[in-house]
Amino acid sequence: MQAQQIVVLATGGTIAGRAARAGDVLGYRAGEVGVAELLAGLPAPEGVVVTGEQVAQVDSKDMDFALWRRLAERCRHWLQQPQVRAVVVTHGTDTLEETAWFLQRVLAPAKPVVLASAMRPASAPVPDGPQNIADAFTVATTPGARGVVAVCAGEVHGAADVRKVHPYRLDAFGSGDAGPIAYVEADAVRQLRPWPAPPESAGLFERVAREKQWPWIEIVHSHAGADGRAVQALVAAGVQGLVVATTGNGTVHAALEQALLRAKEQGVPVVRSSRCLEGPVIAQSRDALPASPLTPAKARVELLLSLLA
Ligand code: SIN
């Protein structure tokens, strides 16, 4: 019988970061250390072969659609292999939440796709990346685990809820009021909530792979003193969709709202998403603009995919 396999797809990030001086945990370059070096010395789970593939080597702030497409293709390729138990993606923390939601929607995986990241570069005297990858292996081999999740600092977050909540702390991710799905404790997973269920995604992967030009969608913010000029300029420039990061429960400054309603009349879809750190917008039937329960960055991914569809 063929041994079970975990495939690590490396994309860069701080987890693959290197500084000129070992003690420097801020002045490093993300995406420098190759996947073979990242995996060297890490024990594979019993009975499992771990292999690595370098998909990219970027600072995730520079994530783009071409790389998302390639990553989805490589994940799908490996997930389709019967001997592959799970895919682990090493990724920068800055846009990890967007990639997590993108992969969950496009792949709707029945196997685990575990995003592993780090807040200290690989060259740090005490890097957190190796432990996070080891924890990702633990999640990857947990019976029943499925869907796209992010593992960092012993916490397992689902793709829909995960968001970066701190710029430099090791436990940099949270799931808002939903809370983590599980904790990794020593080499075991203590599960609190169900694993992410595969969303309806029929044909989405094919469309993502086929369309070379993805829609242009921007996020605008509602805030004190907001007005409609940015929206007018974006519409004039050909924007194809707008997400508004709203105050509170989906509220929008009146001047900005007027411009957004005009944009909608002109055929530009507009989605509201709260800029609050926790909780979804609770939509009401009288709302003129639809609301998303997702964070603004993920609502943008969702709108993008709906336009591709
Ligand atoms: C990145 O997102 O690639 C850099 C920052 C990080 O990984 O923490």
Side-chain angles (χ1 to χ4, degrees):
M1 211 178 70
Q2 215 174 355
Q4 291 211 320
Q5 189 181 354
I6 292 176
V7 180
V8 179
L9 300 179
T11 68
T14 292
I15 195 167
R18 196 179 338 248
R21 191 174 51 80
D24 191 350
V25 292
L26 289 179
Y28 61 89
R29 282 172 64 94
E32 292 276 310
V33 176
V35 66
E37 204 178 323
L38 284 186
L39 298 179
L42 275 181
E46 207 181 321
V48 175
V49 174
V50 174
T51 55
E53 179 179 313
Q54 195 76 50
V55 176
Q57 201 51 301
V58 296
D59 186 318
S60 83
K61 73 179 174 54
D62 299 323
M63 181 56 66
D64 61 23
F65 293 165
L67 179 48
W68 266 357
R69 179 188 292 116
R70 170 130 181 90
L71 182 59
E73 283 167 351
R74 296 314 294 155
C75 285
R76 177 136 136 153
H77 165 80
W78 286 113
L79 290 169
Q80 283 174 338
Q81 313 302 315
Q83 81 283 5
V84 171
R85 178 145 185 182
V87 167
V88 170
V89 178
T90 57
H91 196 291
T93 59
D94 285 348
T95 56
L96 182 143
E97 65 200 66
E98 295 167 58
T99 299
W101 185 243
F102 170 74
L103 292 177
Q104 173 71 358
R105 288 288 283 108
V106 168
L107 300 171
K111 295 177 183 177
V113 174
V114 188
L115 273 64
S117 59
M119 293 299 287
R120 290 183 186 145
S123 57
V126 187
D128 52 333
Q131 185 62 54
N132 289 340
I133 296 175
D135 287 351
F137 291 167
T138 301
V139 172
T141 51
T142 295
R146 65 172 183 184
V148 178
V149 296
V151 173
C152 189
E155 294 181 348
V156 185
H157 298 278
D161 296 306
V162 66
R163 57 161 64 186
K164 190 168 180 182
V165 294
H166 203 279
Y168 62 85
R169 230 169 45 197
L170 296 191
D171 55 339
F173 290 96
S175 282
D177 51 10
I181 285 180
Y183 295 111
V184 184
E185 296 171 339
D187 55 0
V189 166
R190 177 160 62 93
Q191 198 181 337
L192 309 174
R193 298 198 287 123
W195 299 103
E200 175 49 55
S201 74
L204 203 46
F205 174 85
E206 289 72 18
R207 285 190 290 273
V208 158
R210 194 179 53 228
E211 293 296 332
K212 294 294 172 245
Q213 195 67 43
W214 291 8
W216 175 27
I217 296 168
E218 289 291 338
I219 301 174
V220 294
H221 286 254
S222 189
H223 47 74
D227 62 37
R229 285 176 293 174
V231 169
Q232 285 156 12
L234 285 165
V235 172
V239 78
Q240 289 161 287
L242 289 166
V243 171
V244 53
T246 73
T247 39
N249 187 33
T251 51
V252 181
H253 191 292
L256 177 59
E257 190 173 29
Q258 286 310 310
L260 291 167
L261 290 170
R262 266 197 306 278
K264 188 182 162 200
E265 278 163 24
Q266 290 169 272
V268 178
V270 180
V271 174
R272 292 174 302 135
S273 161
S274 182
R275 61 180 221 192
C276 289
L277 285 186
E278 300 198 348
V281 173
I282 300 173
Q284 296 167 65
S285 52
R286 61 185 161 84
D287 291 342
L289 296 169
S292 168
L294 299 164
T295 63
K298 287 186 209 180
R300 178 175 170 273
V301 173
E302 192 62 30
L303 183 54
L304 175 96
L305 294 176
S306 75
L307 291 181
L308 274 179

